[in-house]
């Protein structure tokens, strides 16, 4: 799984935690109101169903996201620094929950949820920019580097033209394979440029020799 995909998952995860905590809080308050009515009517108003279990699951998910966010900050420092502020917002949200006394936690709960949702949005928006920022640039570079191939004098016979076209198709296929590796995060941009330039230069020399 490449870095861009992992960032996307964390972005949705942080945003989802914020949204779920808001929904969960509304449901808990609704249940409290129902329990109070039941108690006033002489019933047992202490039934909260699966809410305590769901609360533990949410807490565990927050803890995992916090640990993962620290790791992702270190991973993204050199590769995608633009997403780091999003992870910091997520860590700030869980920090608020940890340091706020339970007696006043309700007053900061929605602010915490907003921070989670903002964290997810920031990560996903910066991640989208990163995913698209070098596509046009590298495509233009390849086109410029291979212009010599198309601009060669067309003096060959038909058979040589066919060979030339096949070589160009093979070159384009290899360039596309390297581009795919770059997009998937399996290689960095420096390696991509080194390998594609090597292929283009190799084909240029071969063409100059008339091979």
């Amino acid at each position: 799984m490449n870095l861009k995909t992992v960032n996307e998952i964390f972005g949705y995860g942080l945003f989802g935690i914020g949204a779920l905590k808001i929904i969960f809080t509304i449901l808990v308050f609704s249940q409290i109101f129902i329990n109070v009515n039941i108690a006033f009517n002489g019933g047992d108003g202490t039934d909260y169903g699966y809410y305590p279990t769901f609360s533990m699951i949410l807490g565990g998910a927050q803890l995992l996201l916090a640990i993962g966010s620290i790791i992702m900050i270190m991973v993204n420092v050199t590769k995608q620094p633009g997403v780091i502020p999003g992870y910091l917002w997520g860590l700030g949200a869980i920090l608020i929950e940890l340091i706020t006394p339970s007696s006043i936690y309700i007053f900061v709960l929605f602010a915490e949820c907003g921070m989670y949702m903002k964290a997810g949005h920031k990560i996903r928006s910066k991640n989208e920019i990163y995913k698209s920022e070098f596509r046009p640039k590298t495509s233009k570079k390849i086109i410029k580097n291979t212009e010599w191939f198309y601009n060669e004098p067309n003096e060959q016979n038909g058979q040589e033209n066919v060979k030339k076209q096949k070589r160009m198709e093979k070159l384009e296929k290899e360039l596309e394979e390297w581009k795919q590796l770059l997009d998937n995060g399996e290689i960095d941009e420096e390696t991509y440029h080194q390998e594609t330039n090597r292929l283009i230069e190799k084909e240029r020399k071969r063409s100059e020799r008339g091979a």
Side-chain angles (χ1 to χ4, degrees):
M1 189 179 295
N2 63 69
L3 182 60
K4 295 186 288 292
T5 303
V6 176
N7 282 327
E8 197 78 7
I9 291 171
F10 269 90
Y12 280 110
L14 289 166
F15 188 93
I17 283 291
L20 283 173
K21 283 181 73 72
I22 291 175
I23 296 171
F24 178 69
T25 302
I26 294 171
L27 291 175
V28 168
F29 274 116
S30 299
Q31 188 63 46
I32 291 173
F33 181 75
I34 292 170
N35 288 347
V36 169
N37 282 336
I38 293 173
F40 275 126
N41 291 323
D44 181 12
T46 60
D47 181 21
Y48 287 92
Y50 294 102
Y51 289 143
T53 302
F54 189 62
S55 178
M56 289 180 62
I57 293 173
L58 269 179
Q62 287 177 258
L63 183 60
L64 287 175
L65 282 172
I67 296 172
S69 293
I70 294 172
I71 296 172
M72 292 304 293
I73 287 173
M74 293 186 289
V75 171
N76 281 289
V77 164
T78 56
K79 296 183 178 180
Q80 286 182 248
V83 302
I84 291 178
Y87 286 109
L88 292 176
W89 273 90
L91 290 174
I94 195 168
L95 183 61
I96 284 177
E97 182 170 347
L98 292 174
I99 66 175
T100 303
S102 56
S103 58
I104 62 171
Y105 176 62
I106 187 62
F107 298 107
V108 300
L109 175 61
F110 288 100
E112 177 196 347
C113 294
M115 290 178 69
Y116 272 124
M117 296 172 77
K118 186 167 185 176
H121 175 71
K122 277 182 169 290
I123 291 171
R124 288 187 293 113
S125 61
K126 292 296 182 180
N127 200 46
E128 284 298 321
I129 293 172
Y130 177 81
K131 285 195 291 185
S132 60
E133 68 179 355
F134 47 67
R135 278 195 172 91
K137 183 170 59 179
T138 52
S139 296
K140 288 178 181 178
K141 184 177 180 67
I142 289 174
I143 291 171
K144 184 176 180 181
N145 284 348
T146 55
E147 278 179 351
W148 58 270
F149 201 100
Y150 294 105
N151 292 336
E152 285 184 342
N154 189 20
E155 297 176 355
Q156 299 99 332
N157 58 36
Q159 186 176 1
E160 289 174 338
N161 275 330
V162 170
K163 289 181 179 179
K164 176 183 175 182
Q165 184 61 35
K166 286 183 177 180
R167 292 203 327 263
M168 193 59 196
E169 288 174 358
K170 181 181 178 182
L171 174 62
E172 289 175 346
K173 182 180 178 181
E174 291 175 335
L175 292 173
E176 183 59 33
E177 287 173 352
W178 282 107
K179 181 68 164 57
Q180 190 64 43
L181 291 174
L182 175 65
D183 290 343
N184 291 339
E186 296 178 37
I187 59 172
D188 56 26
E189 195 168 357
E190 182 180 356
T191 301
Y192 169 75
H193 286 308
Q194 287 176 351
E195 292 299 327
T196 53
N197 287 337
R198 180 183 61 80
L199 286 171
I200 291 169
E201 187 61 26
K202 179 181 177 182
E203 186 55 45
R204 186 202 299 273
K205 290 178 179 179
R206 182 179 178 185
S207 180
E208 288 175 352
R209 292 196 307 267

